[in-house]
Amino acid sequence: AQSVAQPEDQVNVAEGNPLTVKCTYSVSGNPYLFWYVQYPNRGLQFLLKYITGDNLVKGSYGFEAEFNKSQTSFHLKKPSALVSDSALYFCAVRYSGSARQLTFGSGTQLTVLP
Amino acid sequence: ETGVTQSPTHLIKTRGQQVTLRCSSQSGHNTVSWYQQALGQGPQFIFQYYREEENGRGNFPPRFSGLQFPNYSSELNVNALELDDSALYLCASSYGDHLTETQYFGPGTRLLVL
């Protein structure tokens, strides 16, 4: 079954420092990988996706993610964190043979400290 | 903002009642997916509609049902509400095939079952 894992429930980082939010996926077919962000009492906002091609994907608000097939990972990164980046981040996977449903991880709460 | 709207924003029901949630998709999108997000968890796929036909269903009982209309808006109906149905219900609209599709989410409807 398709799945993603976010091993960290909480990540704290100081403002201005680089941030990483981790995601690993189960190996089954060709995974399409996504990152979404959720602010309190809001829906999910799309950040970026990996479908094929270049392993480094750039997305909204200065975020990027690297697809690593050998480690089955798709970690979200940003060179310099902002306090406004504090939110709940979800990794999601979709496989080419599925009905285009997204399978989400459990989420990682990112807190950027001023 | 994504252009995906949901109504109502909040709803309180009692156990055993029925509820209908509504979603208007982004202009040009012909696919709507519904997700349930329980407190502290990632969204779980309920079902997807493509051009008014159900196009995949997650592990939810038949009392969860849906419709998609010719203008691609959609409804989620839940019969015989249970306490565990309390959650944030998210709809997402999209367009395209496996390579091009990205799901854009609405703000959600928060349902409380007492």
Side-chain angles (χ1 to χ4, degrees), chain B residues 55-109:
Chain B
N55 184 42
R57 188 179 183 92
N59 189 27
F60 281 81
R63 59 189 185 84
F64 286 78
S65 63
L67 282 173
Q68 188 180 30
F69 301 99
N71 66 355
Y72 303 130
S73 65
S74 177
E75 287 182 354
L76 164 65
N77 299 289
V78 187
N79 294 322
L81 283 166
E82 300 177 359
L83 297 180
D84 286 349
D85 295 334
S86 295
L88 180 67
Y89 288 85
L90 297 163
C91 85
S93 76
S94 58
Y95 176 82
D97 59 21
H98 273 293
L99 290 178
T100 59
E101 185 202 36
T102 297
Q103 295 186 11
Y104 293 95
F105 285 80
T109 294

Side-chain angles (χ1 to χ4, degrees), chain A residues 6 9 32 34 36 38 40-52 61 88 90-91 94-107, chain B residues 1-2 30-31 33 35 37 40-45 48 50 55-58 88 90 94-108 110:
Chain A
Q6 294 182 244
D9 292 335
Y32 302 150
F34 300 78
Y36 286 85
Q38 186 174 37
N41 301 312
R42 301 283 295 276
L44 302 176
Q45 293 182 26
F46 169 73
L47 284 178
L48 51 80
K49 68 179 179 183
Y50 170 81
I51 302 298
T52 187
Y61 312 117
L88 187 57
F90 288 99
C91 181
R94 188 182 79 221
Y95 288 92
S96 58
S98 75
R100 301 190 293 179
Q101 68 189 70
L102 292 173
T103 300
F104 285 87
S106 55
Chain B
E1 298 299 325
T2 62
N30 56 14
T31 302
S33 305
Y35 294 82
Q37 186 180 15
Q41 298 182 20
Q44 299 286 320
F45 175 72
Q48 182 181 86
Y50 170 67
N55 184 42
R57 188 179 183 92
L88 180 67
L90 297 163
S94 58
Y95 176 82
D97 59 21
H98 273 293
L99 290 178
T100 59
E101 185 202 36
T102 297
Q103 295 186 11
Y104 293 95
F105 285 80
R110 189 164 296 281

Side-chain angles (χ1 to χ4, degrees), chain B residues 7 24 49 63 91 113:
Chain B
S7 62
S24 292
Y49 279 84
R63 59 189 185 84
C91 85
V113 181

Side-chain angles (χ1 to χ4, degrees), chain B residues 9-29:
Chain B
T9 55
H10 295 82
L11 204 52
I12 301 175
K13 292 286 188 178
T14 56
R15 195 170 45 183
Q17 285 189 312
Q18 178 266 342
V19 68
T20 297
L21 311 181
R22 294 176 176 84
C23 172
S24 292
S25 58
Q26 187 170 320
S27 177
H29 287 188

